[in-house]
Amino acid sequence: MSMERLSQQVEAYTAWKRELMREITRYRSWLASSRLSSDAIEARLDAALRLLRTDHITLAFVGEFSRGKTELINSLFFSSYGQRMLPSQAGRTTMCPTELFFDPRSERPYIRLLPIETRLADASVAQFKRIPRHWVNIPLDLSDPSNMIQAFAQVAKTKPMPVEQAIQFGFHPDMLEDAGKPGLVLVPAWRHALINFDHPLLRQGLRILDTPGLNALGSEPELTLSMLPNAQAILFLLAADTGVTASDMDIWRNHIRQLDEDTQTSLFAVLNKIDVLWDDLAGESFVQNAIAQVQSATAKQLGINPADVLPLSAKQALLAKVRNDDALLLRSQMPALESLLCERIVAQKERLLESRVVNQVLALVQNSQHVLNLRLEKVTEQQGQLSNHQQDNGQLLFELTAKTKHDHSEHHKRLLNLRTNQRLLQRQGDLLCAAVRGERLDLHLDKLRGNLEGSWTTFGIHQAILHFFHSVEGDLHDLEQEAEMGNKMVAAIYRRHNEENPLHGIDAPLFNLRPYLRELQGLREKGDQFRLHLKTLLTEQRVLTRRFFATLVQEVVGLHQRLRQEAAQWAHDALMPLMQHTLEHKQLLESHMLRLKALAQDTQQARQRGEQLQRYASDLQAQLQQASEILRTLRRPAPIQRQGKVVTLPVASRQQGALE
């Protein structure tokens, strides 16, 4: 089996997203035709569509050099070319972090390389991505494999540099190769590589992150602070002939293991190069037993489930695919990894999308459906009354109109009351935003810069960063107190609404600060970890230290911005379901008053009046049928769930908490 199965699964996932986008767009048109649309609902639907358009699946390949990361990528994605596309041979090949993706906005494939000299700047890779002039651009010719190989070889390019300069760039000299001349070492020529490549899987939204070894993870803070945590899965490469070495364990403990607890990332260990254990003389049973022993020992050392350690041979799998040798492919055990990618990682992504998009849109559709059902009930009630009182339609219409006016007045009062509550909640939202306003963070940042510039000793850096995090945490705890008051206010408003509308109970949307507190705690721990594991904080390490804390601070700034936006959005949207419900009822009653007025002015017989109501009822039933179709489509299980192949994920128990 090749990657056809994963390709089919990712294609099904992408088709499912397109289906969701079509139904959301259809629902938006339906809302307009049913006179149920509002600015708040439009904003929610825009956000859902934007998330679906920008969604992708990222796989990160991590491990020490010579563990076969690039060979595995070649085997998984480039075997159709009949040769290795990415440079993969003994020794160090991938010298800089490399992202492979498909960019639909670009007219032609390319490789973009960020010079290593940009490490002297405090700017992160993400910031440099917005400045194209700093990158070296190399076009790719997909019709010429030799041209592609030459272009891809640039990723492995090195350059000689004095040891002192290499240290300034953040490299540790013990981890660099000698350049053949005294005082010179070889460093990567590039800091980061972006490869836009038209591959079926990449076109469907899959992204690949290939990382160098320990030195890159330690000297490029953005990898561990941002890129790896945003991946859906990390494949940690090990060699079957060496097992878990000391440097492997350093990477695992310092950069990978905590991601399993703090993020949505799934962690898997790939025990590569099992072909070194193959022994035809000893027999297949002996070989499989040896592989199982290494697999069990690896799982124990890393502290993960043995099922999450996948033994395979990327080299033999690539050879098998090129030669169409099914027996060799099966022996390489590559199908187990491909099955995992299909059944666990894509399934996890489907669950997250259901939580973040599908369930929210379903709630909106169900609410709209409920309002139309109320309209239909009113019409049916009036039809019954008209048919039972044909002799006194005038009096009946008068009574119906009076009752409708009274109901309209009550809903108008509720709407005014809700608008008053909305203004009160908006003031509470202003207090929320004030607790984390940008100016407060700027003051913390100014103090941090001053403290760091004033002392670059270990103790000085420790105190500066501790004080910074204490200050930010203090702001978040102030915000927590304001949020608690806002939540009490919203809960009381919803409780009153649910008492008045027992058939249409709505859960109060409370502001949840816990994910942000957990994220801030994780960033603080990473800062402590960096400080404790940095071998020296002498003058030569100042550039690396500055860059690390600049990257760390940017992550805190991003967290702060997201928190402010969510606080403001929550205050604006918290009462939206109640406002929508009450406004729709008010509009419903206004519509009925107009129809009753038309019926009262109509001089035709009661039978003709009943026909008008029947046409209106038919229109409502058609609209409800459309709503049911939208609901039915949205409720369809995600592709893997339809196949009945969902595997329990090791991170499933913490997904709900992460989404709160």
Side-chain angles (χ1 to χ4, degrees), residues 422 425 490 494 507-510 569-578:
Q422 178 64 54
L425 186 60
V490 169
Y494 272 78
D507 293 332
L510 304 181
Q569 194 67 39
W570 175 80
H572 182 268
D573 292 347
L575 298 184
M576 187 198 74
L578 302 188

Side-chain angles (χ1 to χ4, degrees), residues 220-292:
E220 193 59 79
E222 198 169 358
L223 274 174
T224 50
L225 291 175
S226 178
M227 295 181 190
L228 294 182
N230 288 329
Q232 274 64 60
I234 292 179
L235 303 181
F236 183 56
L237 271 289
L238 300 163
D241 55 342
T242 61
V244 182
T245 67
S247 59
D248 291 329
M249 189 56 75
D250 279 344
I251 293 178
W252 180 258
R253 287 176 176 167
N254 299 332
H255 304 289
I256 306 300
R257 189 68 183 103
Q258 69 273 15
L259 296 177
D260 186 45
E261 302 170 356
D262 301 336
T263 70
Q264 292 296 314
T265 305
S266 298
L267 306 183
F268 304 99
V270 174
L271 199 60
N272 194 19
K273 304 183 181 181
I274 61 170
D275 50 308
V276 301
L277 302 177
W278 292 356
D279 188 341
D280 293 339
L281 292 177
E284 188 63 21
S285 177
F286 174 85
V287 171
Q288 292 304 319
N289 184 56
I291 292 174

Side-chain angles (χ1 to χ4, degrees), residues 264 347-349 351-352 355 649 651-660:
Q264 292 296 314
Q348 176 189 352
K349 191 66 174 174
R351 292 184 181 185
L352 290 175
S355 298
L649 299 173
V651 295
S653 61
R654 55 187 168 81
Q655 280 183 357
Q656 185 61 39
L659 292 171
E660 289 179 352

Side-chain angles (χ1 to χ4, degrees), residues 70-132:
T70 308
E71 185 80 336
L72 180 56
I73 295 174
N74 278 322
S75 178
L76 287 171
F77 304 104
F78 297 107
S79 61
S80 60
Y81 286 89
Q83 56 186 316
R84 294 181 177 90
M85 300 305 295
L86 295 178
S88 175
Q89 58 265 354
R92 303 172 190 259
T93 50
T94 303
M95 297 300 294
C96 68
T98 303
E99 293 182 67
L100 289 86
F101 57 93
F102 173 71
D103 182 0
R105 300 167 299 178
S106 176
E107 295 182 358
R108 58 182 303 176
Y110 60 76
I111 295 179
R112 288 178 182 163
L113 302 164
L114 185 64
I116 194 66
E117 287 76 12
T118 58
R119 277 195 171 189
L120 293 177
D122 287 343
S124 64
V125 173
Q127 291 169 315
F128 275 116
K129 284 180 180 178
R130 297 191 289 269
I131 315 174

Side-chain angles (χ1 to χ4, degrees), residues 457-659:
T457 64
T458 304
F459 181 76
I461 289 178
H462 172 68
Q463 291 299 313
I465 205 69
L466 271 183
H467 186 272
F468 172 71
F469 275 104
H470 282 152
S471 301
V472 177
E473 286 171 352
D475 290 347
L476 263 62
H477 286 304
D478 291 342
L479 173 64
E480 195 171 28
Q481 294 179 1
E482 297 294 345
E484 186 177 352
M485 294 181 62
N487 283 336
K488 288 180 179 178
M489 181 187 304
V490 169
I493 295 171
Y494 272 78
R495 185 165 55 250
R496 185 164 57 250
H497 169 85
N498 292 337
E499 290 170 355
E500 295 172 351
N501 301 271
L503 298 179
H504 191 250
I506 306 176
D507 293 332
L510 304 181
F511 187 72
N512 185 10
L513 196 61
R514 284 176 293 172
Y516 293 97
L517 289 169
R518 286 198 300 267
E519 185 178 347
L520 184 65
Q521 179 63 25
L523 290 173
R524 176 177 174 175
E525 289 173 357
K526 288 174 183 175
D528 291 342
Q529 192 176 59
F530 174 83
R531 175 182 54 80
L532 293 172
H533 286 87
L534 193 61
K535 292 180 173 58
T536 176
L537 284 174
L538 301 177
T539 304
E540 294 82 0
Q541 287 292 329
R542 287 184 182 180
V543 173
L544 171 60
T545 307
R546 282 196 181 98
R547 192 167 68 252
F548 179 87
F549 286 121
T551 306
L552 188 69
V553 165
Q554 284 304 312
E555 292 295 316
V556 176
V557 170
L559 180 152
H560 218 263
Q561 291 173 341
R562 284 183 281 113
L563 183 54
R564 285 201 303 274
Q565 291 170 357
E566 183 169 338
Q569 194 67 39
W570 175 80
H572 182 268
D573 292 347
L575 298 184
M576 187 198 74
L578 302 188
M579 297 281 286
Q580 177 191 1
H581 181 267
T582 305
L583 182 61
E584 285 169 350
H585 274 256
K586 180 174 175 288
Q587 292 172 344
L588 165 65
L589 293 168
E590 289 170 352
S591 175
H592 279 305
M593 283 194 292
L594 290 174
R595 288 187 174 274
L596 289 170
K597 183 178 180 181
L599 286 172
Q601 293 173 349
D602 198 341
T603 58
Q604 297 179 9
Q605 298 299 316
R607 179 182 59 82
Q608 294 172 309
R609 295 174 181 172
E611 289 175 355
Q612 291 184 14
L613 282 176
Q614 182 58 46
R615 285 195 296 271
Y616 183 36
S618 297
D619 291 342
L620 289 174
Q621 288 169 344
Q623 291 173 337
L624 282 168
Q625 178 62 31
Q626 294 174 8
S628 296
E629 292 173 0
I630 294 172
L631 277 175
R632 187 163 50 250
T633 304
L634 290 173
R635 283 173 173 157
R636 287 185 66 196
I640 290 181
Q641 295 178 35
R642 294 175 206 168
Q643 299 167 13
K645 294 181 179 179
V646 178
V647 180
T648 302
L649 299 173
V651 295
S653 61
R654 55 187 168 81
Q655 280 183 357
Q656 185 61 39
L659 292 171

Side-chain angles (χ1 to χ4, degrees), residues 46-331:
D46 278 337
L49 289 170
R50 186 165 54 252
L51 193 152
L52 287 169
R53 282 193 296 267
T54 59
D55 172 77
H56 57 262
I57 299 173
T58 300
L59 303 182
F61 293 76
V62 181
E64 264 292 22
F65 71 93
S66 291
R67 298 298 187 264
K69 298 185 297 296
T70 308
E71 185 80 336
L72 180 56
I73 295 174
N74 278 322
S75 178
L76 287 171
F77 304 104
F78 297 107
S79 61
S80 60
Y81 286 89
Q83 56 186 316
R84 294 181 177 90
M85 300 305 295
L86 295 178
S88 175
Q89 58 265 354
R92 303 172 190 259
T93 50
T94 303
M95 297 300 294
C96 68
T98 303
E99 293 182 67
L100 289 86
F101 57 93
F102 173 71
D103 182 0
R105 300 167 299 178
S106 176
E107 295 182 358
R108 58 182 303 176
Y110 60 76
I111 295 179
R112 288 178 182 163
L113 302 164
L114 185 64
I116 194 66
E117 287 76 12
T118 58
R119 277 195 171 189
L120 293 177
D122 287 343
S124 64
V125 173
Q127 291 169 315
F128 275 116
K129 284 180 180 178
R130 297 191 289 269
I131 315 174
R133 69 176 185 275
H134 288 286
W135 298 74
V136 175
N137 192 76
I138 301 175
L140 281 177
D141 184 358
L142 301 185
S143 64
D144 185 355
S146 61
N147 167 270
M148 290 176 60
I149 291 174
Q150 291 178 4
F152 284 142
Q154 285 291 326
V155 176
K157 188 177 179 182
T158 60
K159 63 193 305 183
M161 184 177 291
V163 175
E164 295 78 9
Q165 188 177 4
I167 293 174
Q168 287 184 343
F169 281 5
F171 295 105
H172 197 280
D174 294 345
M175 297 182 180
L176 298 174
E177 296 180 6
D178 189 81
K181 293 183 179 180
L184 293 181
V185 291
L186 292 176
V187 301
W190 312 108
R191 180 181 180 184
H192 201 83
L194 301 173
I195 301 179
N196 168 38
F197 181 74
D198 192 357
H199 181 281
L201 278 170
L202 302 182
R203 180 178 280 274
Q204 297 294 342
L206 188 70
R207 298 174 71 95
I208 305 300
L209 175 62
D210 187 13
T211 65
L214 174 62
N215 191 51
L217 292 175
S219 60
E220 193 59 79
E222 198 169 358
L223 274 174
T224 50
L225 291 175
S226 178
M227 295 181 190
L228 294 182
N230 288 329
Q232 274 64 60
I234 292 179
L235 303 181
F236 183 56
L237 271 289
L238 300 163
D241 55 342
T242 61
V244 182
T245 67
S247 59
D248 291 329
M249 189 56 75
D250 279 344
I251 293 178
W252 180 258
R253 287 176 176 167
N254 299 332
H255 304 289
I256 306 300
R257 189 68 183 103
Q258 69 273 15
L259 296 177
D260 186 45
E261 302 170 356
D262 301 336
T263 70
Q264 292 296 314
T265 305
S266 298
L267 306 183
F268 304 99
V270 174
L271 199 60
N272 194 19
K273 304 183 181 181
I274 61 170
D275 50 308
V276 301
L277 302 177
W278 292 356
D279 188 341
D280 293 339
L281 292 177
E284 188 63 21
S285 177
F286 174 85
V287 171
Q288 292 304 319
N289 184 56
I291 292 174
Q293 288 180 2
V294 178
Q295 181 181 14
S296 176
T298 300
K300 185 175 182 180
Q301 286 179 280
L302 299 181
I304 60 177
N305 193 310
D308 293 333
V309 179
L310 290 97
L312 57 81
S313 172
K315 177 181 177 181
Q316 298 300 325
L318 177 60
L319 182 63
K321 291 180 179 182
V322 171
R323 294 179 177 177
N324 292 318
D325 187 337
D326 292 338
L328 180 58
L329 182 61
L330 187 62
R331 194 180 187 195

Side-chain angles (χ1 to χ4, degrees), residues 9 11-20 22 350 354 632-646:
Q9 203 65 67
E11 185 176 356
Y13 173 76
T14 305
W16 177 56
K17 289 196 300 180
R18 286 196 295 264
E19 181 180 64
L20 292 176
R22 283 195 301 270
E350 288 177 351
E354 284 180 333
R632 187 163 50 250
T633 304
L634 290 173
R635 283 173 173 157
R636 287 185 66 196
I640 290 181
Q641 295 178 35
R642 294 175 206 168
Q643 299 167 13
K645 294 181 179 179
V646 178

Side-chain angles (χ1 to χ4, degrees), residues 366-409:
Q366 288 169 336
N367 188 57
S368 301
Q369 192 179 39
H370 173 76
V371 172
L372 281 192
N373 274 316
L374 289 177
R375 289 184 184 179
L376 185 59
E377 288 174 8
K378 287 282 186 182
V379 172
T380 303
E381 176 188 348
Q382 292 177 9
Q383 284 179 304
Q385 291 173 330
L386 283 173
S387 63
N388 293 331
H389 300 81
Q390 290 185 7
Q391 302 303 318
D392 192 18
N393 284 334
Q395 178 62 28
L396 174 63
L397 287 172
F398 176 79
E399 293 174 359
L400 287 174
T401 301
K403 184 178 185 304
T404 304
K405 284 182 178 180
H406 176 268
D407 291 343
H408 178 270
S409 176

